[in-house]
Amino acid sequence: MRGELDQDKARASAFPLPFQDDLLETDNLAELSLESEFARIVEQVFVSKSVDAETACLALEQACKNQAEKIQGEARENMHRLGVSRDMETQANELKLESQTWRLLWHLSSDVESLVQRQSVTSASPGKTSREIAASLIQEEKGLLQLAKIIYWLESMSQDALNWSEEQGDYSEVGRFAKNEGLLQETKHAIERGVDKDIVTELDPDAVSRQDLPLAADNMEDEERLMKGVWKLVRCGCTHHATDLCCHVGEYWRASSLLGSGRYGGLPVGNVAQEATEYYRTEEAFEEEYASEVENGRLFHINIWKWTCFVLSKKLSESGRYTMEAAVYAVMCGFIEHILPACESWEDVLWAYSKAWLDVQIHCQLSGLSTEARMLDVQDKFNVGGAKAAASPTGWPVSEVMEKLPGSIEEMFANVSSFWSGRERQSAPGHFRILQEKMVLGKFEDVLLFALSLVFDQDLLKGEEPGCGPILIRFAAHLGLWLLEILSNTECKVQSTADVANEFGVFQDSVNRLVQIYIVHLIENRKNSLIPVYALHLRRGLLDETYCIFLDTLSKASFEERQEAVHLGTSYLPRDDFSRIIRKVTVASRMNRTLDHAAYVAAKIRSSEWICMLDDTHSEVAEHACLVSRELALLDTIGTSDSLAYFLHEVLPEDVIERGAEEAITEILEWKAWLDFSISFSEWRRCGEEEYSAEQDDLMLLHMKERAEVSLAKGLQLVKTAWMQFTSFENVQEVPSSEVQLLVSVGKQLDDESAEILDPVSFVYLPDETREVEEYARIELEKWKADSPTSMDFSIRACPSEQSSLFELNLSFFTASEGVSTSSSLEKIVSVATSFLKGELMPFGYFPIVRVFDSTSHEIAREVCRRVCIPRLCLKCLQLRSFLCTFDNTVQAGSEIVQLAARGGEKGISYLFSTNEARQMLALEQQACCAILRHDNLML
């Protein structure tokens, strides 16, 4: 019985469920469930493409309805909490409005054949009935078709609200009526007894209007209740059920008065049209209707009937007692003036205008097709829909009916809008009605712009915080996706003036913006599993920006959560797009400018995990591993060794060593060797910091001695094997330019006597003195540039004020000047970078604490790290040697470091040491020698 609409609903409800609801704690479990349901439907329409967007509109509608019912149930359970119950009711009403809008979109995009009655017999039939001709006119003219779709939408919603029951045979919301209760028994008895002189004295149907007197009080109430039921049935397009109801209560005359255009009316639409098709499918029913029209003239009886309904409606309305009855007969003849008093809602008023206007336009065109009409005296030409209609041969419709109708759909909506106040326009119902109006008019760009204005609540695209609730945010995003999908279809049945094809036009830009806002809403509510389904609809720039925000929020999540995010991303987004996003997130996290040291290191390691999760980026992962190793080695503060160890041994995939670039693999292995020494050195330092009782002092010293010996052996091994070996830049091929980028924070020694480069904990961040240090460094760099024969340049700038303790340095050189080799240019920029990292370009006592170190040249990066790390390595070894010399005067391990550091030429490393580092080296060796002498004196 429900026809095409029910079939589409059945298909829509058969979706598989690829998503699981997010298992999160929330105060709004119902809303969470609905978002997951919407995501499932989006996946079916846009990813697997197993369901078309038009049919999916009904699935979205049903999801909203189900959710509204859940919330209404919860509201009833919370009646004792008035505020909570009221909020729930408001939310449920918004969901109902949303469901109506999805139904409208389905109607606008539905097939025309499912809208009107189809031809009842074969082409061999002698002709068509007026009902079939009217159906053909609707299919051929866009304006008529648009009105018919509006009527179908409004009537189908009204049908659903009446809860049809096949078992009961009527609509439960209309009311229950006893058999023959309309026979006016009370009025009859009152007349017979003569007790009431103010009622009618006759019982024929016309007595009320002829005598202008009412029925008995009980019958008046029954008639009013009956006409309300008839009005509801006519309002939902079910004239046949209205006549059945009249027959049921015994008012067969009233049923006949409603059948002037046939059992299903002159122009059934939607589900009723399908029933009419079945009813008139038999040859007997068709021949009876067709013969009647041929014998009496196609519209003769209908015109007389409509004129009668018109006169009756006016008469009933003038009495002031029969508003519903007057409205019912006014609907039959399209007399809008007397339909409106019975309307209780915006939807009722819109239906009244649409129904009356369509009925009159169709009737005028049918009159023009008539060749056998019996002419009446009045012949006028009417202006219908902005165009001249053919003369009405029978004189119907009369001018009084025509004058009340609009001249266009725009004018019709203007008339409808006058029935609700400005305050209602600012409410959720008003917002949805405005959206529905614009959708009907085909102004889809305006639909999306209006949705954006609701989301932002202020200037379009300028606000940052949504100005509405989650229901409207979700609806606006999905509406944009559906409109884009439906209007992009070459077989689109929706009237539209939107420029859908332009990727950067208003329409697509609005869709992208709405989807982005919804994704941000999902991010804030931690609905991570739903985000990739929507992100794939964003164009490249917004996709990168939004997904980077999403992944950044997962920076503190567990490794498993982030791995799941990568899995979902690669499942829905194109591989190239997702890989590009991961690279951007990795780079952005490396550039993290937080002042907190531990947070900075953690962010750097976590950012590295992203790129390591991709299974086809071994070369990139190896290069990134080198970058992270260099930066943490240059930072070289407490805890960085453990962080780097976690990265190289736990995060870095094992097959990277096998499948990465040879140059990067070699460097990774070198950093692993350096890390092994750094960890052993840190363990020795921590051993001395452990708490021991007085009786355990000897045990502590023994432990420190053992760890120092192990660490020193590893350090000497690195020094002797020429760790990070590099000969010169002579073999480097000529390059047009190169650049070094450094992001550092400024530190200062707390105690000039005890502080060492080896003890980073003795430095503090100095945001207030950054500008002073920056200016000092700028002057020193100018000196380097003036003395340099190469084309070197630099830029140094402080970071934004909220991060004022950080500043950024960029060193670059261009194609070497005439007579100056590339090798000397590279050597110069390495020297400048190394001096800066060692604090030689800062005031005495200040040191740079490295955050980011990047270079366009692999050779420069390696050599800078070598020149910074080898002196530190040597100083740490000498510190271990000095400690061991306090135990034994025969310790010779480490003495060769001083000799190697003092040696010049190709075999020496003296050029690696800054003045401060050379001073510390001599001080440490002096401590070792003194310890040996003291030990010798004790032996003597």
Side-chain angles (χ1 to χ4, degrees):
M1 174 180 173
R2 302 292 293 164
E4 204 71 27
L5 180 58
D6 287 338
Q7 294 176 21
D8 277 358
K9 282 186 175 180
R11 289 197 295 270
S13 63
F15 291 170
L17 308 178
F19 294 106
Q20 296 295 325
D21 286 346
D22 297 296
L23 301 178
L24 300 174
E25 294 184 2
T26 175
D27 294 332
N28 195 348
L29 295 177
E31 180 63 21
L32 177 65
S33 169
L34 184 60
E35 287 175 336
S36 299
E37 182 70 17
F38 269 49
R40 284 193 278 267
I41 299 171
V42 170
E43 197 273 344
Q44 289 294 312
V45 174
F46 298 98
V47 181
S48 64
K49 298 187 182 299
S50 57
V51 179
D52 61 86
E54 291 83 356
T55 303
C57 289
L58 296 179
L60 296 173
E61 178 207 8
Q62 192 60 46
C64 292
K65 282 185 175 181
N66 294 340
Q67 194 66 15
E69 291 175 2
K70 285 183 184 179
I71 295 175
Q72 283 183 321
E74 294 175 4
R76 286 190 291 270
E77 294 175 0
N78 288 274
M79 287 296 292
H80 59 288
R81 303 167 63 190
L82 187 59
V84 174
S85 177
R86 186 184 297 112
D87 291 342
M88 287 182 174
E89 286 291 346
T90 300
Q91 189 179 19
N93 291 334
E94 286 189 37
L95 287 169
K96 288 180 181 179
L97 291 166
E98 181 182 350
S99 71
Q100 293 174 6
T101 310
W102 288 121
R103 174 77 71 88
L104 171 60
L105 185 57
W106 180 83
H107 284 291
L108 293 176
S109 59
S110 60
D111 192 351
V112 177
E113 293 185 0
S114 66
L115 179 65
V116 294
Q117 180 184 345
R118 292 188 287 271
Q119 187 171 352
S120 303
V121 294
T122 63
S123 57
S125 59
K128 294 181 179 181
T129 65
S130 59
R131 188 179 292 102
E132 291 176 323
I133 295 173
S136 299
L137 290 172
I138 289 177
Q139 295 182 37
E140 293 169 1
E141 296 190 21
K142 290 184 177 180
L144 301 180
L145 177 62
Q146 198 79 339
L147 284 173
K149 287 184 174 183
I150 296 173
I151 295 170
Y152 184 15
W153 168 55
L154 295 167
E155 290 183 349
S156 65
M157 289 192 301
S158 186
Q159 289 173 30
D160 290 347
L162 292 182
N163 299 320
W164 170 255
S165 173
E166 291 285 356
E167 293 77 13
Q168 297 176 1
D170 64 358
Y171 290 94
S172 59
E173 294 296 324
V174 171
R176 297 178 181 239
F177 296 87
K179 185 74 173 177
N180 295 326
E181 73 170 69
L183 294 181
L184 309 181
Q185 295 293 338
E186 288 77 4
T187 302
K188 176 184 176 183
H189 296 323
I191 294 174
E192 291 174 348
R193 293 194 302 268
V195 296
D196 191 346
K197 303 299 182 180
D198 295 327
I199 63 173
V200 293
T201 58
E202 300 174 1
L203 294 176
D204 63 281
D206 295 329
V208 173
S209 58
R210 183 176 63 251
Q211 296 183 354
D212 195 21
L213 291 172
L215 301 172
D218 290 344
N219 287 146
M220 284 293 291
E221 292 179 4
D222 293 341
E223 283 293 296
E224 184 178 356
R225 186 166 59 91
L226 173 64
M227 292 315 300
K228 284 182 179 179
V230 171
W231 161 258
K232 289 182 179 180
L233 292 170
V234 171
R235 165 66 178 81
C236 63
C238 298
T239 305
H240 55 300
H241 288 314
T243 58
D244 291 344
L245 176 60
C246 293
C247 292
H248 175 74
V249 300
E251 295 190 1
Y252 293 93
W253 61 270
R254 192 183 298 280
S256 298
S257 71
L258 299 177
L259 291 174
S261 293
R263 173 171 172 76
Y264 294 92
L267 192 62
V269 296
N271 298 326
V272 179
Q274 309 314 310
E275 290 188 47
T277 299
E278 294 297 324
Y279 180 81
Y280 291 106
R281 188 176 295 279
T282 63
E283 188 172 345
E284 180 181 353
F286 168 77
E287 288 180 351
E288 181 180 348
E289 183 179 23
Y290 185 74
S292 175
E293 291 189 0
V294 170
E295 179 182 354
N296 299 300
R298 187 177 296 279
L299 298 177
F300 179 73
H301 283 161
I302 292 178
N303 288 344
I304 296 298
W305 170 71
K306 285 182 178 293
W307 180 82
T308 304
C309 290
F310 168 71
V311 175
L312 180 57
S313 174
K314 290 186 67 176
K315 183 70 174 177
L316 292 169
S317 180
E318 289 171 359
S319 69
R321 292 192 294 262
Y322 308 101
T323 302
M324 288 297 176
E325 188 174 3
V328 168
Y329 288 106
V331 170
M332 302 303 158
C333 63
F335 192 20
I336 189 67
E337 183 178 0
H338 291 160
I339 303 176
L340 294 178
C343 296
E344 298 177 347
S345 66
W346 179 85
E347 289 78 11
D348 288 346
V349 176
L350 179 59
W351 173 81
Y353 271 102
S354 303
K355 183 80 172 176
W357 193 24
L358 180 64
D359 181 76
V360 170
Q361 289 195 75
I362 290 293
H363 195 90
C364 286
Q365 296 201 36
L366 287 174
S367 299
L369 295 173
S370 175
T371 57
E372 320 176 60
R374 299 178 181 180
M375 304 295 291
L376 297 182
D377 294 336
V378 182
Q379 292 188 354
D380 294 323
K381 292 184 179 181
F382 302 108
N383 187 318
V384 182
K388 287 287 184 180
S392 173
T394 60
W396 180 264
V398 295
S399 58
E400 191 173 351
V401 171
M402 293 298 302
E403 288 171 357
K404 304 298 182 180
L405 295 175
S408 64
I409 291 185
E410 290 81 0
E411 184 180 338
M412 179 182 74
F413 273 104
N415 293 342
V416 173
S417 298
S418 65
F419 283 83
W420 46 306
S421 66
R423 177 177 298 180
E424 289 179 307
R425 295 181 70 90
Q426 302 302 319
S427 63
H431 296 156
F432 278 101
R433 287 167 181 170
I434 292 173
L435 288 170
Q436 292 162 2
E437 174 185 334
K438 294 180 183 298
M439 289 169 64
V440 171
L441 296 175
K443 299 178 179 180
F444 292 106
E445 286 185 359
D446 292 345
V447 168
L448 298 182
L449 288 174
F450 181 70
L452 271 175
S453 69
L454 296 178
V455 170
F456 283 117
D457 201 28
Q458 294 179 6
D459 290 339
L460 296 184
L461 306 179
K462 291 183 179 180
E464 294 298 333
E465 294 295 331
C468 61
I471 290 179
L472 194 51
I473 293 175
R474 186 197 63 255
F475 167 71
H478 288 85
L479 179 63
L481 289 176
W482 253 253
L483 290 178
L484 181 60
E485 177 70 11
I486 292 173
L487 298 179
S488 299
N489 190 340
T490 55
E491 300 178 359
C492 174
K493 307 175 185 68
V494 181
Q495 297 184 46
S496 171
T497 58
D499 182 9
V500 181
N502 185 358
E503 182 181 359
F504 297 96
V506 173
F507 189 88
Q508 287 209 35
D509 186 70
S510 299
V511 173
N512 274 264
R513 192 63 171 149
L514 288 169
V515 173
Q516 184 191 35
I517 294 168
Y518 182 58
I519 292 175
V520 172
H521 164 73
L522 294 176
I523 292 172
E524 291 175 348
N525 290 275
R526 297 179 58 204
K527 296 169 186 176
N528 301 340
S529 62
L530 311 183
I531 292 170
V533 187
Y534 297 95
L536 63 89
H537 299 283
L538 298 175
R539 60 172 174 256
R540 178 167 176 168
L542 284 178
L543 170 64
D544 291 4
E545 175 189 351
T546 309
Y547 221 86
C548 284
I549 292 173
F550 166 51
L551 296 181
D552 186 58
T553 61
L554 297 178
S555 60
K556 296 183 180 180
S558 66
F559 182 82
E560 290 73 18
E561 286 181 281
R562 284 177 285 146
Q563 199 169 37
E564 178 64 19
V566 171
H567 171 70
L568 287 171
T570 53
S571 299
Y572 288 96
L573 299 178
R575 184 70 187 192
D576 292 343
D577 288 347
F578 192 74
S579 297
R580 182 184 67 251
I581 292 169
I582 288 295
R583 294 187 190 98
K584 287 188 174 182
V585 171
T586 304
V587 171
S589 298
R590 278 186 60 232
M591 302 295 287
N592 189 305
R593 300 187 174 191
T594 177
L595 295 179
D596 182 78
H597 168 70
Y600 165 72
V601 174
K604 188 181 291 291
I605 296 301
R606 287 178 178 273
S607 71
S608 304
E609 291 180 349
W610 287 119
I611 197 168
C612 293
M613 291 177 187
L614 299 178
D615 55 10
D616 60 351
T617 57
H618 298 90
S619 178
E620 289 185 47
V621 171
E623 292 178 6
H624 181 73
C626 292
L627 287 174
V628 173
S629 300
R630 293 168 195 163
E631 290 173 351
L632 291 182
L634 291 173
L635 183 59
D636 196 23
T637 56
I638 294 176
T640 54
S641 297
D642 294 335
S643 298
L644 185 56
Y646 168 74
F647 171 69
L648 292 179
H649 296 300
E650 301 293 334
V651 176
L652 194 65
E654 295 180 359
D655 56 353
V656 167
I657 303 299
E658 302 174 0
R659 301 168 63 179
E662 182 178 355
E663 191 177 56
I665 291 172
T666 300
E667 186 174 346
I668 290 174
L669 294 175
E670 289 174 334
W671 285 117
K672 283 189 173 183
W674 176 86
L675 177 63
D676 190 27
F677 165 74
S678 296
I679 291 176
S680 65
F681 182 81
S682 296
E683 289 175 349
W684 169 71
R685 292 282 299 270
R686 282 195 292 267
C687 186
E689 297 171 358
E690 295 178 2
E691 294 184 2
Y692 291 86
S693 63
E695 295 78 12
Q696 293 179 317
D697 284 347
D698 293 341
L699 180 61
M700 178 198 69
L701 292 175
L702 179 60
H703 285 172
M704 290 189 67
K705 181 175 182 296
E706 291 174 352
R707 295 178 187 271
E709 289 173 345
V710 172
S711 182
L712 180 58
K714 292 179 178 180
L716 291 176
Q717 181 68 21
L718 290 178
V719 176
K720 291 177 181 179
T721 55
W723 176 76
M724 294 285 281
Q725 185 176 9
F726 184 78
T727 53
S728 69
F729 288 108
E730 295 295 337
N731 298 326
V732 177
Q733 296 180 354
E734 184 173 346
V735 290
S737 64
S738 187
E739 183 176 352
V740 171
Q741 181 188 21
L742 288 165
L743 178 67
V744 301
S745 56
V746 180
K748 186 178 182 181
Q749 293 181 356
L750 291 174
D751 185 349
D752 292 339
E753 296 182 359
S754 62
E756 304 172 352
I757 288 180
L758 302 179
D759 189 14
V761 79
S762 65
F763 298 98
V764 293
Y765 297 116
L766 299 167
D768 295 335
E769 301 178 35
T770 300
R771 296 289 181 180
E772 176 186 343
V773 175
E774 175 196 349
E775 189 58 33
Y776 185 94
R778 188 189 308 279
I779 294 172
E780 293 298 315
L781 286 167
E782 289 287 358
K783 294 177 182 178
W784 276 83
K785 181 179 179 181
D787 296 338
S788 174
T790 64
S791 301
M792 189 188 82
D793 198 4
F794 74 91
S795 66
I796 183 169
R797 66 181 182 86
C799 296
S801 57
E802 62 270 17
Q803 299 159 342
S804 58
S805 65
L806 302 177
F807 65 88
E808 190 172 14
L809 170 67
N810 286 281
L811 301 172
S812 60
F813 82 89
F814 310 99
T815 303
S817 305
E818 185 177 353
V820 179
S821 65
T822 299
S823 61
S824 62
S825 299
L826 293 172
E827 176 65 35
K828 194 68 175 179
I829 201 169
V830 166
S831 299
V832 175
T834 303
S835 297
F836 182 81
L837 289 172
K838 292 184 178 184
E840 294 182 327
L841 303 184
M842 292 187 176
F844 180 77
Y846 291 87
F847 293 91
I849 302 176
V850 179
R851 315 305 289 271
V852 173
F853 170 60
D854 218 343
S855 173
T856 56
S857 169
H858 177 74
E859 290 78 10
I860 287 179
R862 278 177 56 88
E863 182 61 8
V864 169
C865 288
R866 175 175 174 270
R867 296 189 183 189
V868 173
C869 292
I870 285 183
R872 291 181 180 176
L873 174 62
C874 293
L875 291 173
K876 289 179 180 179
C877 288
L878 289 174
Q879 192 172 8
L880 292 167
R881 164 178 158 75
S882 176
F883 173 75
L884 291 173
C885 286
T886 61
F887 293 90
D888 190 351
N889 64 340
T890 61
V891 175
Q892 296 298 320
S895 60
E896 62 267 47
I897 289 180
V898 179
Q899 299 174 9
L900 184 63
R903 184 185 305 163
E906 295 182 0
K907 296 183 179 181
I909 57 173
S910 60
Y911 70 97
L912 299 179
F913 287 79
S914 67
T915 304
N916 191 33
E917 289 169 337
R919 178 182 60 80
Q920 289 198 45
M921 178 181 65
L922 293 176
L924 288 169
E925 181 61 19
Q926 184 180 15
Q927 290 176 15
C929 293
C930 290
I932 293 173
L933 290 175
R934 283 197 300 272
H935 194 277
D936 289 343
N937 290 333
L938 290 174
M939 294 295 293
L940 292 174

